[in-house]
Amino acid sequence: MRDVLHDGPGPPRRSFLTYAGGLAAAGALSACSMGPQSTNDVGGGGRDRTLTAVIGYGNDGSWDPTQTASAFSMAADNHLYEGLLDTDPVSRKPYPALATALPADPAATTWRFSLRAGARFHDGTPVTADDVVFTFDRVLDPAAHTLAGGFFTSWLEGVRAVGSRTVELHLNFPFPEGLSRLTLAKVMPRHVFSRPGAWDDAIRGLAVGSGPYRQSAHHPKSNTAFEAFSGYNGPRPAAFRTMNWLTVVDAASRVARVSGSVPGAQIADNIPYAAVDRLRSGGLTVAGASGMNNLFLMFNTARKPFDDIRVRQALHYAIDTEKMVQVALKGHGLPATSFLDEGNPAHRRAGTVYGHDPARAKALLRAAGVRDLDVELLAVNVSWIVDCLPTVKASWDAVGVRTTLAPQETTAVFTKLDQRRDYQVVAAASNPNQFGRDADLILRYNYGPANLWMGYTRWAGNPVARRLFAAMDRATRELDPAKKKTMIQECVDVVAEQAVLYPVVHNELLTAWDPRRLTGVRAQPYPGVNLLRAKWL
């Protein structure tokens, strides 16, 4: 993605770096790579017209549902694929998708699911239990290093077929939170993705699911088109005959697409804060949702003096977060009071809260014996992140830390990290809410012994880290909700104190749409759009 990278733990780098080129599909599925490249609404009038959406993230990231953290493709996958269960995009409450019902006992260690009768993939083949097993085997395979695996391997032992349309999930221990995570295992057809080279094709854009829409065209860096799948018989039928999702990373261009006398789209996400009044005055609805979206600082703990907790803490205490919220975010955010956002059910103020305290920052630097520190802040070029960087520089300069800002393409930043090139501090955007809302998942998104992010920080071998990971495992296994919450909070306190990878601010994400043409739209607290309940007026 060019505007925001939301990566997760564990996958090889190829799973979320952007890829150029078209879709390399096989047989009849090769038609998905064809069709007109379009940056405008290609539909006619009436209810059969094309729904055009403007997505503020690149569509050239990985399209493999087991690997991707791409905002564009994850949002698209929710329309193209189904899990056994899927979740409401806002509440994240699970509902039956390919499965016919939720388990009667969420705390059981065996969950049995029957598949929906008549469910078919986009190529017309029936969905079977073997496809479900194939998908979960891929997710859980340690050799595959799937991103999704990081959300399953701690609690899910395996999946087996007990009939052509029935599967059993065997858990290592009771884990009711796992029900909402089943949406992250999008069921993929074995006959398509077991062939040689198919996973690479999936990365480049091959998408064959059982969802209400099928992919009709895919042009990286331009647009992805969808059409209603006539063979879909599930709970969220397509309301639009065709959809065209444009990738428009530039904020001004995105606003122009959804506004003006002849707008080219009916909905857009990632709305810049400065455009809200203009869009509302033009008759559009602009709604926000707050969650885990955040600017974080990540330190290279193998590089002195960032191995010293006092230096990491000092650089957090130095930042004028209130000014950042008011100036850069136009009030659409909050200084971080915890690793978790304030709307999370497990949130409480962390034991260490980094209020703006320049005197304390200077004292910590002196105590660490640090003088004349020069820092290059490597940053992603996400528009709102770039807006926040001057506040970071001014704050650090004010405590005697000479700061050079180095914003770059998101892919360039993470290519350097994957190549284990040296760095000091990184500023980037993150939002684990696109995977889920439970605190265990959010912690594991960034922290864990085999976690990709911990590899970037070079911190996983630290004794404090090892104790943290063990405490997280104990919290995952705890069945009592109150005890689990307390244990999670203790882990969050460690994460806050250590400040190895930690949010500076949590900000609101904004979506704009035309209420004269669309109904059923809801803003969500993570990138992309979900149009499964939307329809034309």
Side-chain angles (χ1 to χ4, degrees):
M1 289 173 286
R2 295 294 189 224
D3 198 40
V4 171
L5 185 75
H6 297 283
D7 289 326
R13 182 59 185 166
R14 67 176 187 161
S15 67
F16 53 86
L17 273 179
T18 55
Y19 277 74
L23 176 64
L29 298 173
S30 64
C32 294
S33 65
M34 304 168 70
Q37 182 169 334
S38 175
T39 56
N40 294 292
D41 186 342
V42 297
R47 293 185 178 272
D48 284 340
R49 65 190 181 276
T50 296
L51 181 283
T52 302
V54 179
I55 309 298
Y57 311 93
N59 71 338
D60 55 349
S62 173
W63 283 70
D64 175 357
T66 71
Q67 294 283 38
T68 192
S70 159
F72 193 112
S73 61
M74 283 195 72
D77 283 347
N78 288 328
H79 300 74
L80 298 168
Y81 289 94
E82 298 176 281
L84 288 170
L85 306 180
D86 283 326
T87 60
D88 179 87
V90 177
S91 72
R92 309 315 287 263
K93 182 178 179 180
Y95 64 85
L98 272 173
T100 57
L102 276 67
D105 182 6
T109 55
T110 298
W111 294 336
R112 176 173 284 204
F113 295 99
S114 297
L115 301 182
R116 186 176 71 238
R120 293 184 175 275
F121 290 113
H122 297 154
D123 63 359
T125 59
V127 181
T128 70
D130 286 343
D131 297 305
V132 178
V133 172
F134 168 77
T135 298
F136 277 97
D137 283 351
R138 161 77 170 175
V139 167
L140 297 173
D141 181 2
H145 299 289
T146 62
L147 186 154
F151 304 125
F152 288 93
T153 53
S154 63
W155 57 274
L156 182 59
E157 186 274 327
V159 178
R160 68 184 183 93
V162 291
S164 62
R165 290 180 43 247
T166 305
V167 295
E168 283 185 350
L169 275 62
H170 297 273
L171 283 60
N172 293 318
F173 48 85
F175 191 63
E177 295 93 335
L179 291 177
S180 63
R181 297 192 191 181
L182 295 184
T183 188
L184 301 176
K186 300 299 188 188
V187 176
M188 306 174 74
R190 179 176 181 174
H191 69 280
V192 173
F193 291 101
S194 62
R195 61 178 179 78
W199 293 117
D200 289 330
D201 290 342
I203 290 170
R204 290 189 287 264
L206 174 62
V208 184
S210 61
Y213 293 92
R214 63 180 294 273
Q215 188 190 77
S216 56
H218 177 58
H219 301 280
K221 306 182 186 299
S222 172
N223 69 298
T224 301
F226 310 81
E227 64 183 21
F229 174 43
S230 61
Y232 178 77
N233 66 345
R236 299 287 188 270
F240 307 105
R241 183 179 60 83
T242 53
M243 298 193 297
N244 190 30
W245 289 17
L246 315 178
T247 171
V248 182
V249 174
D250 178 72
S253 299
R254 194 161 56 252
V255 170
R257 290 279 186 185
V258 78
S259 63
S261 58
V262 186
Q266 297 82 45
I267 184 170
D269 78 336
N270 195 18
I271 296 298
Y273 305 123
V276 173
D277 290 343
R278 169 188 162 190
L279 293 176
R280 285 176 174 164
S281 66
L284 297 185
T285 296
V286 182
S290 298
M292 268 298 295
N293 206 66
N294 67 87
L295 178 153
F296 66 84
L297 295 180
M298 179 171 66
F299 295 91
N300 179 359
T301 63
R303 169 95 178 249
K304 291 185 178 299
F306 308 108
D307 60 331
D308 192 319
I309 186 176
R310 294 169 294 188
V311 175
R312 301 193 298 266
Q313 289 183 339
L315 293 179
H316 272 279
Y317 279 120
I319 298 175
D320 189 344
T321 51
E322 292 288 351
K323 178 181 178 182
M324 182 180 290
V325 167
Q326 294 307 314
V327 174
L329 304 181
K330 310 299 182 188
H332 293 276
L334 291 171
T337 58
S338 167
F339 185 76
L340 302 173
D341 65 278
E342 294 197 4
N344 190 287
H347 174 273
R348 69 157 169 75
R349 285 177 66 87
T352 305
V353 176
Y354 296 101
H356 183 216
D357 194 339
R360 188 168 188 176
K362 291 178 181 178
L364 284 165
L365 290 172
R366 286 195 300 270
V370 173
R371 296 176 178 84
D372 301 320
L373 180 59
D374 291 288
V375 172
E376 180 184 76
L377 181 59
L378 182 63
V380 299
N381 66 342
V382 178
S383 56
W384 69 271
I385 294 285
V386 172
D387 291 342
C388 290
L389 294 180
T391 301
V392 178
K393 174 176 168 55
S395 299
W396 287 357
D397 286 347
V399 298
V401 176
R402 293 181 295 273
T403 308
T404 301
L405 301 178
Q408 300 176 19
E409 281 281 325
T410 297
T411 50
V413 171
F414 283 89
T415 295
K416 291 178 180 179
L417 295 174
D418 287 325
Q419 294 173 347
R420 296 192 65 83
R421 289 163 65 179
D422 192 31
Y423 75 95
Q424 294 176 296
V425 190
V426 165
S430 178
N431 194 335
N433 281 161
Q434 63 183 340
F435 299 100
R437 197 172 181 224
D438 74 83
D440 177 272
L441 178 150
I442 290 171
L443 268 176
R444 289 183 182 277
Y445 178 79
N446 286 127
Y447 285 86
N451 187 283
L452 183 70
W453 296 102
M454 291 297 95
Y456 293 157
T457 64
R458 282 75 152 168
W459 191 66
N462 186 287
V464 177
R466 290 198 293 266
R467 291 194 294 272
L468 171 65
F469 303 151
M472 288 168 55
D473 285 341
R474 291 192 294 272
T476 301
R477 290 176 174 269
E478 177 57 54
L479 193 57
D480 180 85
K483 291 180 180 178
K484 181 189 285 282
K485 183 176 181 178
T486 298
M487 295 167 76
I488 288 286
Q489 289 170 341
E490 290 171 352
C491 294
V492 168
D493 283 345
V494 173
V495 168
E497 179 187 43
Q498 292 297 313
V500 173
L501 188 160
Y502 199 71
V504 176
V505 290
H506 290 103
N507 68 310
E508 188 178 28
L509 290 177
L510 304 179
T511 303
W513 66 91
D514 188 343
R516 297 157 297 193
R517 305 182 74 183
L518 291 178
T519 186
V521 178
R522 289 180 294 165
Q524 58 190 32
Y526 50 94
V529 294
N530 187 302
L531 300 171
L532 295 179
R533 304 307 293 269
K535 59 183 179 181
W536 293 120
L537 280 171

